[in-house]
Structures are given as structure tokens and as C-alpha cells.
Amino acid sequence: MRRLLTAVFLISAAAIAYEILLMRVLSIVQWHHFAWMIISLALLGYGASGTVIARAWRFLEPGFEAAFSVAALLFSVTMVLCMAFGQRVPFNALEVIWNPGQFLYLGLMYLVFMVPFFFAASCIGLAFTFRRDAVERIYLFDLIGAGFGAVLLIALLFLLLPQQALLALAALALAASAL
């Protein structure tokens, strides 16, 4: 149980830090008008994950530990890949008025940036679903991890470039996968 709680702490820290990092990057790259979308796509990832867990819980239950570990690993990998790919989507907020095709690029950005949140939420959702006897402790470590992640990202951005901070967050998720 101790390893699971530590892994939940690390996933929560990395997830909220990644969300704030995306807000910061998009507020610079796409102006502040599109930074708000990060909250909604994080929620989209969490909702999609809950749906998958609810539909596949019988399949996931026997291999809970493996499913948690794989989801944490995929969270680590997709954080980096989706950030790189999302910055290559040719969305231009200024063109939205006269080029309706920009809405397709905006939708693609939503889908790309949602993927890491899906895997982070899968870890948390799996822990809540299959370790019902420790829900209050899991929730505590989830909340403390999120608070730590927010403070951690602020400190990291004083010390590192955003790309380096992203790699540090991916390392947190990778450590959770190893646990």
C-alpha cells in the first residue's frame, strides 16, 4: 500500500504540474485566450479515463498493478510526445475569424493534449476502483501530491527551461511506474 500511495502522490504531482506548464506554454504560444482550454481538456482526459475504467473494470481488476504501472509509464511518455506534437499543430488563433479550418486544428490540439491526462487519471481511477478499502488515504495522497506538484513546477520554472521542467515531470511519472 505504501508504494501505491507514493505512486499516487507522484502521478498527482506530475499531472497538476503538467497542467500548469501547459497553461504557461499556451499562454505564451497561443496568447492567454487559449490557456483556459487546458482545464477543460484535463477534465476531458479524466472523464474519458473514468469511462474506460467503468466499462473495462472486470478486465482490469486481475492485473491492477500492471495496469497502473503501464498507465503511469504511458503518462510519462505521452507528456513529452504530446507536448512536442501539439506545438507542431498549425493552429493560429488570429486566423479563426476568416479560416474555419482552424477549428479542426483546435480540435486536434484538444485531442493531443488530452492524452497524458487520460493516462494520469487512469492511475488515480484504478487506485480508487480497486483499492476501495483505502480510498481516504488515496485521496489524501492525491491532494497532497497535487499541492506539491503546483509548488514544484513554480520552483522548476525558476531553475529550468520549460522543456527541461517537462522532462523532470516525466521522470516523476516514470518513478511512479517503477513503484
Side-chain angles (χ1 to χ4, degrees), residues 7-174:
V8 166
F9 174 88
L10 293 172
I11 292 293
S12 295
I16 198 72
Y18 181 65
E19 185 175 353
I20 296 168
L21 181 63
L22 279 176
M23 283 181 177
R24 182 77 176 128
V25 168
L26 283 181
S27 70
I28 294 168
V29 174
Q30 297 293 344
W31 298 9
H32 69 280
H33 305 293
F34 290 93
W36 57 265
M37 80 181 219
I38 300 303
I39 296 168
S40 63
L41 54 84
L43 291 173
L44 178 64
Y46 274 69
S49 168
T51 302
V52 169
I53 292 170
R55 301 288 291 163
W57 71 272
R58 286 186 185 107
F59 172 74
L60 294 168
E61 188 171 24
F64 159 70
E65 289 85 5
F68 186 100
S69 183
V70 167
L73 176 64
L74 290 172
F75 174 46
S76 177
V77 171
T78 58
M79 265 196 283
V80 176
L81 292 178
C82 290
M83 178 73 89
F85 183 73
Q87 291 181 5
R88 285 170 176 69
V89 174
F91 174 69
N92 184 348
L94 297 174
E95 287 185 37
V96 168
I97 296 171
W98 67 83
N99 182 358
Q102 290 297 318
F103 285 109
L104 294 174
Y105 292 135
L106 180 61
L108 179 60
M109 282 179 57
Y110 255 87
L111 291 176
V112 167
F113 287 133
M114 182 263 317
V115 172
F117 293 110
F118 173 85
F119 292 118
S122 293
C123 293
I124 305 302
L126 286 167
F128 279 130
T129 302
F130 300 119
R131 296 296 183 260
R132 289 182 205 96
D133 56 323
V135 166
E136 62 281 343
R137 288 189 294 165
I138 293 169
Y139 191 57
L140 175 67
F141 278 78
D142 178 39
L143 290 176
I144 293 172
F148 175 76
V151 172
L152 175 67
L153 182 71
I154 293 168
L156 285 176
L157 289 177
F158 275 107
L159 302 171
L160 305 172
L161 295 172
Q163 301 88 335
Q164 295 167 325
L166 177 64
L167 294 177
L169 300 179
L172 287 178
L174 192 59

